[in-house]
Amino acid sequence: MTDLTRLSLKETRNGLRARQFSSLEVTSAYLEAIKTGNETLNAYICVEEEIARNQAKKSDERLAAGEAGPLEGVPLGIKDLFATRGVHTQAASHILDGFLPEYESTVTANLWNDGAVMLGKLNMDEFAMGSSNETSYFGPVVNPWRPADDDGSGPALVPGGSSGGSASAVSAMLCAGATATDTGGSIRQPAAFCGVVGIKPTYGRCSRWGIVAFASSLDQAGPLTRTVEDNAMMLTSMAGFDSRDSTSADVPVPDFAAAVERGVKGLSIGIPREYRMDGMPGEIETLWKQGIEWLRDEGARIRDISLPHTRYALPAYYIVAPAEASSNLARYDGVKYGLRVAGKSIDEMYELTRAAGFGREVQRRVMIGTYVLSAGYYDAYYKRAQKVRTLIKRDFEQVFADGVDAILTPATPSAAFAIGDAEMAADPVKMYLNDIFTVTVNMAGLPAIAVPAGKDRQGLPLALQLIGRPFDEETLFAGGRVIERSAGLDLAPGKWWQK
Ligand code: GLN
């Protein structure tokens, strides 16, 4: 029998519907793959064998009865940021030790309603703060890709972050697709590093209800998958209005998969000059040029555009996001959830619990956030960052009003780097620079997709990003598919972890 874990999400769904194999078979194949791979890759924090097999059996019954949902029987991994009823939900933090939610996030509930099967919870940066998955309390995740000339003695690479477990698991075929979240790049940057597809939908497209909050005005859920079409299918299921999230958008959810083969003929694609950074590696420049050619060859009109406030996006993000985080994370006080370290007074208990429960990066964010919101500094930092945010948003509005349909940029300034990279460890700002091409999109609330488009000289995946108009994810899937088809990459990493 063929290896069922190698099938795309769509092939899996179609094979199940045609009764070529059962959900129990494909689910067992994934559970087996996790058993041989997870020790090395550390993508899953918790594997839910019993839940997975039970859900698969129910799916098989529905498939037999001809009552299959859109994702019936398809095994997925879930980022640990999504609340799953009765199942490990810790945002990869020590402070949520033992927390088992009594409710299910809207996004995961949507997936289960459509018949999907849950394999387990995926590793991530603690509270989704990071770009390398090294801030997890559960240890770093390993990228399934290695440099072509690495005989196994070289350092392991990061999968990106914060959705590193999701990207690694999808790439290594430890699930058919995974949920992820993106506050400043956490879907697109790991997608780029692991050679998978990731979309950050328009703010409000997916409900935030039941997702552990990082920076509420920026957080959005989205899928990570191996193909653009799979991505469209999964987003169709995840998205939708939810009255329990006051920022959820009451707009219809199209069948995104129907837009995938639309092409880019006649579309106007903007190339923002501000993204041509000094010191940008030649390989990224070449990749970008290649992407422009592909879209032009398929009938798109290419236009140079300007987004003048781009260079303020990263500094403004690192004020807005920590500010919201410091407020959101105030609830972890040792009283209501998870960890409690006893103290002589209640204040001491708070202090000891938060000191022991939060990792260094989370503590840094809480401190920055508290500082920029404090009485003397609010106007100088937080208020100004909010003004910058408005300007960034306006830059995009102008370009779209001028008739641009989508914007093409690189997804990341580099390929995956080594776990423990000394430069990044010594200087948090170096780590923050990973999101230089992605944060503007969150600041403006726009949708953007990262699609594998090439490989660097070491054979590691590189990706391009397409940014779209609000609620026009369809154009991104269509453009993403053109990039995917034109690139024609083999994106299955060698399964070296099986030896
Ligand atoms: N890397 C960015 C940060 O650390 C973005 C994280 C995210 O999108 N969740 O804040």
Side-chain angles (χ1 to χ4, degrees):
M1 195 166 176
T2 50
D3 179 359
L4 294 175
T5 66
R6 286 193 174 268
L7 301 178
S8 70
L9 187 150
K10 185 188 178 190
E11 288 164 345
T12 307
R13 188 204 57 178
N14 291 352
L16 286 164
R17 287 202 179 168
R19 318 294 311 280
Q20 287 160 2
F21 43 82
S22 68
S23 177
L24 193 56
E25 282 168 324
V26 72
T27 300
S28 304
Y30 276 113
L31 290 169
E32 200 45 47
I34 294 168
K35 256 181 210 140
T36 50
N38 204 48
E39 207 173 310
T40 307
L41 299 172
N42 199 26
Y44 281 87
I45 295 177
C46 125
V47 183
E48 288 293 339
E49 257 196 82
E50 206 183 309
I51 293 178
R53 286 190 209 281
N54 284 337
Q55 283 182 335
K57 280 181 205 151
K58 291 214 176 90
S59 280
D60 284 330
E61 283 165 26
R62 283 192 291 267
L63 283 156
E67 293 163 3
L71 296 178
E72 197 65 63
V74 176
L76 302 177
I78 303 298
K79 187 178 183 180
D80 199 37
L81 206 62
F82 292 80
T84 39
R85 188 183 298 119
V87 173
H88 188 289
T89 301
Q90 283 188 221
S93 181
H94 184 32
I95 208 156
L96 275 166
D97 269 0
F99 175 59
L100 295 175
E102 282 163 28
Y103 47 87
E104 188 76 27
S105 82
T106 300
V107 164
T108 48
N110 288 345
L111 290 167
W112 315 142
N113 283 338
D114 281 350
V117 169
M118 172 167 68
L119 293 166
K121 300 302 286 288
L122 293 160
N123 207 343
M124 52 179 283
D125 279 301
E126 186 181 5
F127 284 106
M129 297 173 190
S131 303
S132 66
N133 218 118
E134 294 171 291
T135 74
S136 168
Y137 178 66
F138 299 92
V141 173
V142 170
N143 190 321
W145 289 89
R146 290 200 304 197
D149 60 3
D150 181 4
D151 58 5
S153 58
L157 304 180
V158 303
S162 67
S163 309
S166 302
S168 174
V170 170
S171 165
M173 297 166 187
L174 306 187
C175 57
T179 65
T181 62
D182 190 311
T183 303
S186 280
I187 291 178
R188 292 159 287 158
Q189 187 255 12
F193 279 14
C194 293
V196 299
V197 180
I199 194 168
K200 186 215 83 86
T202 313
Y203 185 76
R205 183 60 103 175
C206 291
S207 169
R208 288 182 297 107
W209 197 83
I211 300 175
V212 176
F214 165 10
S216 309
S217 77
L218 301 161
D219 298 344
Q220 227 337 259
L224 282 166
T225 57
R226 287 179 228 145
T227 72
V228 173
E229 193 176 16
D230 286 1
N231 213 264
M233 287 172 59
M234 208 171 142
L235 181 61
T236 306
S237 176
M238 292 167 69
F241 174 65
D242 177 11
S243 59
R244 287 176 300 185
D245 169 4
S246 61
T247 61
S248 164
D250 194 359
V251 294
V253 179
D255 174 8
F256 290 117
V260 168
E261 296 298 342
R262 237 186 226 177
V264 292
K265 202 166 172 199
L267 292 185
S268 170
I269 306 289
I271 311 300
R273 75 172 67 101
E274 290 79 7
Y275 281 59
R276 202 157 282 125
M277 304 279 172
D278 285 345
M280 184 152 93
E283 291 174 316
I284 303 288
E285 184 92 45
T286 309
L287 180 86
W288 198 7
K289 282 201 189 118
Q290 179 65 259
I292 294 171
E293 287 316 312
W294 288 333
L295 294 172
R296 188 181 278 138
D297 287 349
E298 296 279 325
R301 280 174 292 122
I302 307 296
R303 278 171 56 179
D304 285 325
I305 59 163
S306 174
L307 298 165
H309 296 93
T310 299
R311 69 197 189 94
Y312 304 112
L314 199 67
Y317 170 85
Y318 274 99
I319 290 174
V320 174
E324 293 186 21
S326 70
S327 149
N328 274 326
L329 269 55
R331 75 190 71 173
Y332 307 108
D333 55 7
V335 177
K336 297 189 275 295
Y337 311 88
L339 185 76
R340 174 180 306 165
V341 180
K344 287 195 284 299
S345 64
I346 185 146
D347 283 344
E348 195 183 78
M349 187 277 284
Y350 291 156
E351 282 172 20
L352 293 175
T353 301
R354 288 169 68 86
F358 289 141
R360 284 181 65 85
E361 184 60 29
V362 174
Q363 290 183 6
R364 180 173 10 245
R365 307 283 179 115
V366 170
M367 282 195 280
I368 295 171
T370 311
Y371 180 80
V372 300
L373 289 176
S374 61
Y377 295 100
Y378 184 90
D379 287 355
Y381 293 107
Y382 187 70
K383 215 161 146 196
R384 284 189 90 175
Q386 290 291 27
K387 286 185 183 162
V388 169
R389 185 172 183 179
T390 306
L391 295 174
I392 291 165
K393 203 162 168 231
R394 247 182 241 160
D395 283 354
F396 282 107
E397 280 164 5
Q398 201 110 53
V399 161
F400 290 129
D402 278 352
V404 166
D405 296 296
I407 298 164
L408 183 75
T409 77
T412 56
S414 74
F417 46 88
I419 292 179
D421 182 292
E423 266 182 56
M424 306 259 184
D427 181 359
V429 175
K430 286 237 162 65
M431 186 66 87
Y432 297 169
L433 281 169
N434 271 288
D435 299 312
I436 191 92
F437 298 134
T438 50
V439 288
T440 49
V441 168
N442 301 72
M443 294 293 265
L446 300 172
I449 193 168
V451 182
K455 290 186 184 163
D456 76 350
R457 69 177 74 83
Q458 295 183 291
L460 301 175
L462 295 171
L464 288 169
Q465 170 177 244
L466 274 171
I467 306 169
R469 292 196 166 104
F471 299 104
D472 187 17
E473 287 85 358
E474 287 168 287
T475 296
L476 303 186
F477 287 125
R481 174 68 187 127
V482 167
I483 293 170
E484 179 180 58
R485 186 163 11 91
S486 308
L489 298 170
D490 174 9
L491 288 166
K495 294 193 180 183
W496 51 271
W497 55 88
Q498 285 183 346
K499 280 161 223 150

